[in-house]
């Protein structure tokens, strides 16, 4: 038993990180402190207006632990790592799964390349970015390779010069073929230097050069070449016009502001690189109800810049933050040069922060409307279905369907919807084992029995405390079973559940003569439903999804079986030879008609295998 009084007395008066846990050992909160003794003890004093969310968290604390660090800076880094690793329920969290693209120039190579990269490593390459649009990065790389005719291959040069033929890019005049020695190292690196100049924002030289080449080609009546230079000129001009100048100083900075409502906050970031605004991005922060706006902003800065590989020279913030000097020191250490954290009060910089705040507000208000519509389609629709069936609560729905063609390759599908949304990770396929003919009821009985017996066995193997954390789709039973059909399918499901002593409501999704959903069959009654309601639309989506999933599985098995029945019967023909034959001859009929010599032309088929294939099909045609 954890003794709070004794453990509070042991707290050191040193910097460190503290971790609050509940009775299931789950981490509730991670924090840092200059003085662990004072900070942790403050949670267990009488309520001093710290807010209902913190009060709730404190009521759940079953024990705490702490890690002493040498400095407050070490505590800051450790706190970030633990928050990122554990996502504690009561920490303000950055919801971000984005990885930003960079343009990577491999200047450490003898013959450099321009590449797309999602990470910025400490290597000999030069990186430009991060950018907010992967498509724009790819377009820019393609444009640079066309402009400067740089290589895109993975050959190791100069080691591989002359070992292979030049690729297609050389023949279509999009590569200078350093792999053949057609351009020397110095000339090639001059091309790379011009590309680097382009990436640094100097477009005037290349625009002038392209314009002169276009005019020269036109004067020589080489209109095709002139048109090519014209297209490149327009592409470069388009790229140059996308860059909005925001600061004549030409520095790297991020402009950060937020907008908050009762439940969450949106942080807007403007990315300025080399004095040019290259894009913007917004980020959601959750668990913000008990945090101040400066506190939310500070949590964002700590979590975001702990994960991004690029640190700008300056952060321009909307509010003063508590650990500003400490964060400056931390970011300076990460970047390797001085980083400034500032809160502009007047002038154009203050206007930029205000603009970021307005954008954050706009994003949150837009998303609020979108979420409201989405909630109507999902949670609202589920509530409609629950009200129609007279059920108190529905969260998880499972639907089942059977697919076959005259009893051939019977299969079953299970699809899952949670809170009105499909959950594909919990979908399951069943290949019917006990039914050989076209008997949908018997197939459904097998599928449902296997699904719930499996779930009961998994549940027994899990300890009670682990059950809530189980990821397996079978351990979680649905709040509603939805059968593709009427009374017959519903009765099959009810009989299976009765045999297994499981109590789950079951309804049937009934279709009309035109195979369109018309209502639900529940408790021996068909319940009509408004075809314009969100509940009806959700039922239709569930039914269509179960049918689609079953059909796709059946189709995949059928196609595999059809291929196997012909070629895999031939001795010595496995998957590799089967693929080689189909690639070479295109169809089974061509393989049947081929001579031994023609079959032996396939690289993977030797003379003996060719004779076996030829003889196999001859025997087939001779059979009565």
């Amino acid at each position: 038993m954890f003794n709070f009084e004794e453990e509070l007395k042991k707290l050191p008066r040193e910097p460190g990180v503290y971790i609050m846990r509940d009775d299931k050992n789950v981490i509730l909160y991670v924090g840092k402190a200059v003085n662990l003794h004072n900070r942790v003890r403050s949670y267990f004093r009488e309520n001093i207006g710290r807010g209902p969310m913190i009060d709730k968290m404190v009521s759940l604390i079953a024990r705490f632990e702490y890690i002493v660090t040498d400095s407050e800076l070490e505590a800051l880094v450790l706190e970030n790592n633990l928050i990122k690793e554990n996502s504690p329920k009561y920490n303000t969290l950055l919801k971000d799964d984005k990885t930003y693209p960079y343009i990577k120039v491999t200047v450490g190579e003898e013959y450099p390349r321009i590449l797309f990269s999602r990470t910025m490593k400490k290597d000999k390459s030069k990186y430009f970015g991060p950018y907010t649009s992967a498509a724009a990065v790819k377009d820019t790389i393609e444009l640079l390779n066309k402009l400067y005719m740089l290589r895109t291959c993975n050959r190791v040069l100069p080691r591989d010069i002359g070992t292979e033929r030049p690729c297609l890019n050389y023949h279509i005049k999009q590569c200078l073929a350093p792999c053949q020695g057609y351009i020397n190292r110095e000339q090639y690196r001059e091309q790379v230097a011009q590309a680097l100049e382009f990436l640094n924002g100097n477009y005037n030289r290349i625009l002038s050069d392209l314009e002169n080449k276009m005019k020269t080609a036109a004067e020589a009546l080489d209109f095709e070449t002139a048109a090519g230079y014209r297209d490149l000129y327009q592409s470069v001009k388009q790229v140059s016009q996308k860059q909005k100048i925001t600061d004549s100083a030409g520095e790297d900075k991020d402009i950060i502001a937020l907008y908050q409502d009762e439940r969450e906050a949106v942080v807007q970031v403007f990315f300025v690189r080399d004095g040019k605004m290259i894009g913007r991005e917004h980020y959601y922060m959750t668990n913000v109800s008990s945090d101040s706006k400066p506190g939310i902003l500070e949590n964002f800065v700590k979590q975001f810049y702990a994960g991004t590989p690029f640190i700008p020279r300056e952060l321009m913030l909307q509010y003063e933050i508590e650990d500003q000097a400490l964060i400056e020191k931390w970011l300076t250490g990460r970047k390797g040069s001085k980083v400034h954290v500032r809160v502009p009060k007047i002038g154009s910089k203050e206007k930029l922060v205000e603009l970021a705040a307005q954008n954050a507000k706009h994003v949150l208000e837009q998303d609020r409307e979108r979420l409201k519509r989405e909630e109507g389609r999902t949670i609202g629709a589920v509530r409609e279905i629950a009200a129609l069936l007279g059920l108190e609560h529905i969260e998880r729905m499972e639907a089942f369907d059977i697919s076959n063609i005259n009893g051939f390759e019977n299969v079953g599908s299970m699809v899952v919807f949670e809170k009105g949304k499909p959950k594909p990770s919990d979908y399951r396929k069943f290949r019917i084992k006990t039914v050989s003919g076209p008997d949908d009821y018997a197939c459904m009985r097998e599928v449902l029995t296997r699904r719930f017996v499996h779930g009961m066995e998994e549940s027994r193997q899990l300890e009670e405390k682990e059950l809530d954390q189980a990821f397996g789709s079978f351990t979680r039973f649905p709040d509603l079973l939805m059968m593709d059909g009427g009374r017959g399918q519903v009765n099959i499901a009810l009989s299976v559940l009765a045999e297994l002593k499981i109590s789950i409501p079951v309804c049937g999704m009934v279709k009309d003569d035109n195979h369109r959903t018309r209502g639900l069959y529940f408790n021996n009654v068909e319940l009509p439903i408004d075809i314009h309601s969100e509940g009806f639309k959700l039922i239709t989506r569930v039914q269509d999804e179960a049918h689609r999933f079953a059909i796709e599985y059946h189709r995949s098995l059928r196609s595999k079986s059809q291929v196997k029945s012909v070629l895999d019967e031939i001795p010595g023909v496995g998957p590799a030879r089967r693929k080689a034959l189909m690639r070479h001859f295109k169809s089974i009929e061509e393989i049947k008609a081929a001579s031994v010599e023609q079959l032996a032309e396939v690289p993977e088929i030797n003379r003996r295998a060719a004779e076996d294939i030829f003889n196999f099909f001859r025997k087939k045609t001779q059979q009565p």
Side-chain angles (χ1 to χ4, degrees):
M1 184 72 179
F2 191 83
N3 188 322
F4 279 90
E5 286 189 19
E6 288 299 317
E7 294 300 326
L8 286 169
K9 290 177 185 176
K10 296 176 186 176
L11 286 164
R13 299 179 185 274
E14 297 177 61
V17 171
Y18 56 91
I19 302 163
M20 305 297 193
R21 296 182 181 268
D22 66 11
D23 57 356
K24 295 179 181 176
N25 209 35
V26 175
I27 295 177
L28 298 170
Y29 186 80
V30 173
K32 72 167 181 64
V34 180
N35 185 316
L36 284 167
H37 182 273
N38 294 344
R39 186 74 182 100
V40 176
R41 288 174 70 89
S42 70
Y43 284 95
F44 302 98
R45 295 182 190 140
E46 290 185 16
N47 189 348
I48 51 174
R50 59 196 171 200
M53 191 170 178
I54 298 298
D55 288 341
K56 175 67 174 174
M57 186 267 288
V58 172
S59 72
L60 297 173
I61 297 173
R63 70 184 188 87
F64 62 79
E65 58 189 79
Y66 55 87
I67 303 169
V68 176
T69 59
D70 288 335
S71 66
E72 191 182 358
L73 182 58
E74 282 188 15
L76 175 79
V77 175
L78 180 57
E79 177 198 33
N80 271 334
N81 291 341
L82 289 173
I83 289 172
K84 186 175 181 181
E85 182 70 25
N86 297 285
S87 299
K89 183 177 180 180
Y90 289 94
N91 278 94
T92 299
L93 298 174
L94 167 63
K95 290 167 63 177
D96 181 35
D97 57 358
K98 304 178 182 74
T99 54
Y100 293 100
Y102 293 82
I103 294 176
K104 174 180 179 179
V105 185
T106 61
V107 292
E109 295 180 333
E110 291 278 324
Y111 294 85
R113 295 167 294 159
I114 300 177
L115 306 173
F116 179 98
S117 177
R118 287 280 183 187
T119 57
M120 190 169 80
K121 299 176 182 177
K122 290 185 177 180
D123 53 18
K124 295 180 181 179
S125 299
K126 281 194 175 182
Y127 290 84
F128 295 84
Y131 300 95
T132 56
S133 170
V137 169
K138 290 173 182 175
D139 288 345
T140 302
I141 292 172
E142 184 180 356
L143 173 61
L144 288 170
N145 284 328
K146 282 183 179 178
L147 279 172
Y148 301 109
M149 302 174 72
L150 303 178
R151 72 187 185 101
T152 59
C153 65
N154 294 322
R155 295 175 187 176
V156 180
L157 304 181
R159 187 195 70 187
D160 295 340
I161 289 178
T163 57
E164 297 180 50
R165 290 180 296 176
C167 66
L168 178 63
N169 282 351
Y170 167 73
H171 295 291
I172 61 174
K173 298 182 179 179
Q174 288 190 13
C175 180
L176 294 166
C179 62
Q180 303 301 306
Y182 295 162
I183 180 172
N184 64 37
R185 179 181 177 278
E186 288 70 28
Q187 291 170 325
Y188 185 87
R189 292 190 77 90
E190 174 58 31
Q191 296 292 103
V192 174
Q194 292 181 45
L196 290 171
E197 194 175 340
F198 180 99
L199 288 169
N200 282 315
N202 187 351
Y203 307 110
N204 294 331
R205 176 179 170 181
I206 186 61
L207 285 170
S208 175
D209 187 41
L210 287 171
E211 189 174 18
N212 290 335
K213 287 180 178 178
M214 178 175 63
K215 289 177 180 178
T216 301
E219 288 169 1
L221 304 182
D222 187 354
F223 298 116
E224 185 178 350
T225 301
Y229 286 129
R230 178 203 62 202
D231 293 342
L232 287 174
Y233 181 89
Q234 293 297 332
S235 297
V236 174
K237 202 167 185 182
Q238 188 177 12
V239 169
S240 67
Q241 287 173 350
K242 284 181 180 178
Q243 301 292 334
K244 298 179 176 62
I245 300 296
T246 60
D247 187 354
S248 58
E251 295 179 353
D252 295 337
K253 64 183 66 175
D254 288 351
I255 300 153
I256 307 169
L258 67 83
Y259 184 79
Q260 178 189 11
D261 66 9
E262 321 78 51
R263 293 181 298 176
E264 57 188 353
V266 167
V267 177
Q268 182 84 40
V269 183
F270 290 161
F271 300 104
V272 177
R273 299 293 178 262
D274 194 28
K276 302 174 181 67
M277 181 171 153
I278 65 165
R280 63 176 184 173
E281 194 58 80
H282 64 269
Y283 306 85
Y284 280 90
M285 302 291 290
T286 59
N287 301 337
V288 299
S289 59
S290 62
D291 214 344
S292 65
K293 288 181 179 178
I296 296 167
L297 204 61
E298 179 172 325
N299 278 305
F300 170 80
V301 169
K302 290 193 291 188
Q303 292 178 45
F304 179 74
Y305 291 101
T308 184
F310 182 83
I311 310 291
R313 189 180 173 199
E314 183 179 12
L315 303 187
M316 288 168 42
L317 305 185
Q318 184 182 14
Y319 303 109
E320 300 278 354
I321 57 178
E322 185 179 344
D323 288 332
Q324 186 164 317
L326 182 66
I327 287 171
E328 273 191 350
K329 184 178 178 183
W330 168 58
L331 292 175
T332 296
R334 286 208 67 215
K335 183 176 178 63
S337 58
K338 183 63 178 174
V339 175
H340 301 277
V341 178
R342 297 191 172 106
V343 181
K345 303 294 184 184
I346 57 172
S348 60
K349 291 182 178 179
E350 192 271 337
K351 294 287 185 187
L352 281 171
V353 172
E354 186 181 324
L355 182 62
Q358 289 173 2
N359 276 270
K361 179 181 179 181
H362 185 62
V363 167
L364 194 56
E365 289 177 345
Q366 269 192 333
D367 270 17
R368 193 181 290 132
E369 289 300 315
R370 179 185 58 78
L371 290 170
K372 190 176 178 181
R373 292 193 300 271
E374 180 68 17
E375 189 171 310
R377 290 183 68 251
T378 55
I379 296 173
V382 173
R383 287 183 187 137
E384 284 183 23
I385 295 170
L388 180 68
L389 301 178
L391 301 175
E392 285 188 14
H393 173 74
I394 299 175
E395 180 171 318
R396 181 184 175 96
M397 301 185 296
E398 292 181 6
F400 295 82
D401 194 14
I402 301 296
S403 179
N404 62 58
I405 296 179
N406 296 325
F408 173 75
E409 292 284 14
N410 285 312
V411 299
S413 71
M414 164 183 149
V415 299
V416 178
F417 278 63
E418 284 190 0
K419 296 181 180 179
K421 296 180 181 179
K423 191 179 181 186
S425 61
D426 279 10
Y427 288 11
R428 291 296 181 267
K429 304 168 183 174
F430 299 85
R431 195 167 186 171
I432 305 301
K433 299 176 180 178
T434 62
V435 184
S436 57
D439 187 341
D440 283 1
Y441 287 164
C443 291
M444 186 61 75
R445 177 178 291 278
E446 180 189 324
V447 168
L448 291 172
T449 301
R450 285 167 57 188
R451 183 263 177 271
F452 287 107
V453 167
H454 191 166
M456 292 166 70
E457 288 174 352
E458 280 189 359
S459 298
R460 277 194 291 268
Q461 293 168 7
L462 291 166
E463 295 197 13
E464 193 172 323
K465 67 178 181 180
E466 295 176 326
L467 190 55
D468 292 337
Q469 300 172 33
F471 293 103
S473 62
F474 287 132
T475 53
R476 290 197 59 195
F477 285 3
D479 302 305
L480 178 66
L481 265 185
M482 306 186 78
M483 311 306 297
D484 186 39
R487 177 180 299 179
Q489 293 284 19
V490 170
N491 287 339
I492 289 292
L494 290 171
S495 67
V496 169
L497 294 173
E499 289 169 12
L500 299 174
K501 297 180 181 178
I502 300 172
S503 177
I504 298 173
V506 182
C507 70
M509 298 176 286
V510 185
K511 293 186 177 181
D512 60 19
D513 294 337
N514 295 316
H515 212 63
R516 292 177 300 195
T517 307
R518 73 181 185 211
L520 294 178
Y521 181 81
F522 185 67
N523 287 344
N524 296 316
V525 177
E526 185 177 322
L527 304 171
I529 185 169
D530 179 5
I531 62 171
H532 301 294
S533 68
E534 292 296 342
F536 176 83
K537 293 173 185 174
L538 176 58
I539 293 166
T540 303
R541 289 198 298 273
V542 171
Q543 193 169 35
D544 291 345
E545 183 68 350
H547 190 59
R548 177 200 68 78
F549 194 54
I551 288 288
E552 284 187 0
Y553 182 41
H554 184 261
R555 187 180 293 130
S556 70
L557 291 179
R558 195 169 70 242
S559 62
K560 287 177 185 176
S561 177
Q562 287 171 343
V563 173
K564 182 180 178 180
S565 64
V566 179
L567 293 181
D568 284 4
E569 293 179 22
I570 307 173
V573 175
R577 281 178 169 170
R578 184 181 69 207
K579 286 180 185 176
L581 285 165
M582 292 304 296
R583 192 165 53 242
H584 186 87
F585 289 102
K586 310 303 181 189
S587 73
I588 296 292
E589 294 305 316
E590 286 189 31
I591 297 171
K592 286 181 181 179
S595 65
V596 172
E597 288 72 20
Q598 289 171 323
L599 290 166
E601 289 176 4
V602 180
E604 290 83 353
I605 306 296
N606 58 30
R607 179 75 186 187
R608 182 174 176 179
E611 290 174 353
D612 289 342
I613 296 166
F614 181 83
N615 293 332
F616 173 83
F617 283 116
R618 294 305 163 276
K619 288 177 184 176
K620 280 271 186 185
T621 56
Q622 292 168 11
Q623 288 176 1

